[in-house]
Amino acid sequence: MSSTIECLVLPPEGNCSEDFGTAAALGSLEFHKNVPGYEPTKLSDLKALSKKLGVENFWIKDESSRFGLNAFKVLGGSFCLFKVICELLGLDSNKHSFKDLQTPEVAQSIAKMTFITATDGNHGRGIAWSAKKLGAKCVVLMPKGSSSERLENIQKLGAEAWITDVNYDATVAMAADMAEKNGWTLVQDTSWDGYEEIPTYIMQGYLTMAKEAQEQLGEEVPTHVFLQAGVGSMAGAVASFLKSAYGDRAPEIVVVEPFSADCIYKTAAADDGELKVVEGDLKTIMAGLACGKPCTLGWKELRACASAYLRIQESVAATGVRVLSSPLEDDPRILAGESGAAPIGAVIALLADPKLSEIKSKLQLNESSKILCFLTEGVTDRKSFLEIVWEGKFPSEI
């Protein structure tokens, strides 16, 4: 491979959906404020790293503390299960809260419900946590090669969970088939024709972290936001919100994926109105991004809001993990999983590697840049983390 990062610049085209605008974000945030254990996650300004890299600001929104689950995915899972359960019970979700569904009066009805999903780990853990809190049954399927640590974390929450012998997209299809055969509800964080309402709820749930970030930034406005993408649901929702929230001052949205699972990049490169699928095992340390087929809703928002697409080598994500774990001066130490660190590693590589200066120029990264990244997960696979940090696996090429 000739470069650690490849870049495609594609001007936005189309309109962002109001489904992921400021009103939706406020609704999501107000909902989560009523979920037991809610606290806004920290937004850190890595001042020393910013100075080292030659930019004005480098903000990290650290989702590793979200509801004690080490990842942002529970935001989508909790919001989605709440909306779906309200619909199944004939309740107005606008007049009820998460706490209302935890009362004895509705517990008997919820106990009869079963939710099923496919996941690399974080989404399934969020669904399992939400189902346990609400008293519903939960089944979670994980693709071949998934971490045993992630599986055990899901099982500890009471879900029936196992690892399949097929890749992520085939595991999603397996979950959908089981849902249909058993009369269960599929709660998947990707969409396809005919399956869009539940993914919309999940994407709206993700907006809480974006709205929090906006409030924490105050009058500051990022010039660039780097968003990691698996199927593209989180990236699409957050990109759409940022465009809605900031209007003409909206930041440049840069999408980041692994080389081995670059379905968004390939779809953008073709730009022919068709989603592109990546086949095979999709092997990457960025397990949360190991997805071969874009989310229809996510891609629609990205096409309307994003301006550049990156695909990165494993060493780029590993660099992000190492740099965050060994901070400069007074910068906070952040323990990151590989998927969470992917956009951060991309920013570091672009600003520090002279071989990537052409891409840096294309993205207009300079001393005035104010960069925001979302650390979507903490350390969810300690074995992999230690291999990177202690053993130097996937060494930096900067």
Side-chain angles (χ1 to χ4, degrees), residues 220-234:
E220 293 278 15
V221 179
T223 60
H224 297 76
V225 178
F226 286 69
L227 298 169
Q228 56 274 71
V231 297
S233 55
M234 180 281 287

Side-chain angles (χ1 to χ4, degrees), residues 35-41 62-75 122 125-126 129-130 133 149 153-154 156-157 376-380:
V35 176
Y38 168 80
E39 288 184 3
T41 55
D62 183 1
E63 289 294 300
S64 64
S65 64
R66 185 68 72 181
F67 289 112
L69 294 177
N70 216 6
F72 81 106
K73 286 283 191 175
V74 67
L75 292 173
N122 294 330
R125 192 177 182 185
W129 181 88
S130 302
K133 291 288 185 182
E149 181 179 348
N153 284 333
I154 292 170
K156 287 175 183 176
L157 290 167
T376 51
E377 65 170 5
V379 179
T380 57

Side-chain angles (χ1 to χ4, degrees), residues 73-393:
K73 286 283 191 175
V74 67
L75 292 173
S78 57
F79 188 71
C80 171
L81 256 62
F82 166 74
K83 297 285 280 190
V84 172
I85 289 174
C86 282
E87 289 176 3
L88 292 173
L89 295 178
L91 301 175
D92 185 347
S93 62
N94 295 316
K95 296 180 180 179
H96 292 81
S97 70
F98 191 88
K99 292 179 181 178
D100 293 334
L101 300 188
Q102 294 182 295
T103 60
E105 290 78 11
V106 297
Q108 190 172 359
S109 295
I110 294 177
K112 298 175 183 177
M113 301 177 186
T114 299
F115 296 94
I116 184 171
T117 192
T119 181
D120 64 86
N122 294 330
H123 168 69
R125 192 177 182 185
I127 295 295
W129 181 88
S130 302
K132 182 179 180 180
K133 291 288 185 182
L134 294 169
K137 298 181 181 67
C138 182
V139 178
V140 179
L141 309 186
M142 302 180 71
K144 177 173 63 175
S146 293
S147 159
S148 59
E149 181 179 348
R150 295 187 180 112
L151 172 64
E152 290 165 7
N153 284 333
I154 292 170
Q155 291 171 332
K156 287 175 183 176
L157 290 167
E160 181 182 350
W162 66 90
I163 297 173
T164 71
D165 60 357
V166 294
N167 71 13
Y168 173 80
D169 296 291
T171 301
V172 171
M174 187 182 298
D177 184 60
M178 290 180 66
E180 184 175 355
K181 287 181 178 178
N182 292 287
W184 299 340
T185 301
L186 179 70
V187 281
Q188 204 57 51
D189 55 346
T190 189
S191 64
W192 52 84
D193 289 342
Y195 184 77
E196 294 185 330
E197 183 179 55
I198 284 176
T200 296
Y201 293 153
I202 292 173
M203 291 169 67
Q204 288 174 332
Y206 296 157
L207 297 179
T208 286
M209 69 176 183
K211 181 59 181 172
E212 284 179 358
Q214 182 201 22
E215 293 181 353
Q216 290 164 327
L217 286 169
E219 296 301 312
E220 293 278 15
V221 179
T223 60
H224 297 76
V225 178
F226 286 69
L227 298 169
Q228 56 274 71
V231 297
S233 55
M234 180 281 287
V238 172
S240 187
F241 165 73
L242 293 172
K243 290 292 185 181
S244 172
Y246 290 116
D248 292 340
R249 300 186 300 160
E252 297 296 322
I253 303 296
V254 183
V255 182
V256 180
E257 294 173 286
F259 264 99
S260 58
D262 58 346
C263 58
I264 300 291
Y265 186 100
K266 283 186 165 67
T267 299
D271 197 27
D272 60 3
E274 300 292 330
L275 299 179
K276 304 306 173 187
V277 178
V278 178
E279 306 284 354
D281 289 342
L282 310 175
K283 188 175 181 181
T284 171
I285 58 171
M286 294 165 268
L289 311 183
C291 307
K293 185 176 182 180
C295 165
T296 55
L297 293 171
W299 169 245
K300 180 182 177 183
E301 300 307 309
L302 288 175
R303 186 64 189 91
C305 304
S307 54
Y309 304 81
L310 306 180
R311 50 186 178 186
I312 65 173
Q313 285 194 34
E314 307 292 281
S315 62
V316 175
T319 294
V321 171
R322 281 189 285 267
V323 170
L324 291 174
S325 72
S326 303
L328 296 170
E329 301 172 18
D330 295 327
D331 284 354
R333 184 178 186 227
I334 299 174
L335 299 180
E338 301 88 342
S339 297
I344 296 147
V347 170
I348 293 167
L350 290 169
L351 295 171
D353 188 350
K355 298 189 296 294
L356 299 173
S357 59
E358 185 177 344
I359 299 177
K360 175 184 173 181
S361 178
K362 281 183 180 180
L363 299 180
Q364 298 181 6
L365 292 168
N366 53 49
E367 65 277 1
S368 299
S369 295
K370 300 181 177 184
I371 302 166
L372 170 64
C373 290
F374 291 85
L375 183 87
T376 51
E377 65 170 5
V379 179
T380 57
D381 184 347
R382 186 154 296 276
K383 180 177 181 292
S384 179
F385 175 81
L386 293 178
E387 286 175 345
I388 290 169
V389 176
W390 284 10
E391 300 173 22
K393 193 173 183 180

Side-chain angles (χ1 to χ4, degrees), residues 44-59 328 331 351 366-367 369-371:
S44 296
D45 188 357
L46 305 186
K47 295 181 182 298
L49 184 58
S50 298
K51 183 177 179 181
K52 174 74 172 176
L53 296 174
V55 295
E56 189 166 337
N57 296 98
F58 193 179
W59 293 294
L328 296 170
D331 284 354
L351 295 171
N366 53 49
E367 65 277 1
S369 295
K370 300 181 177 184
I371 302 166

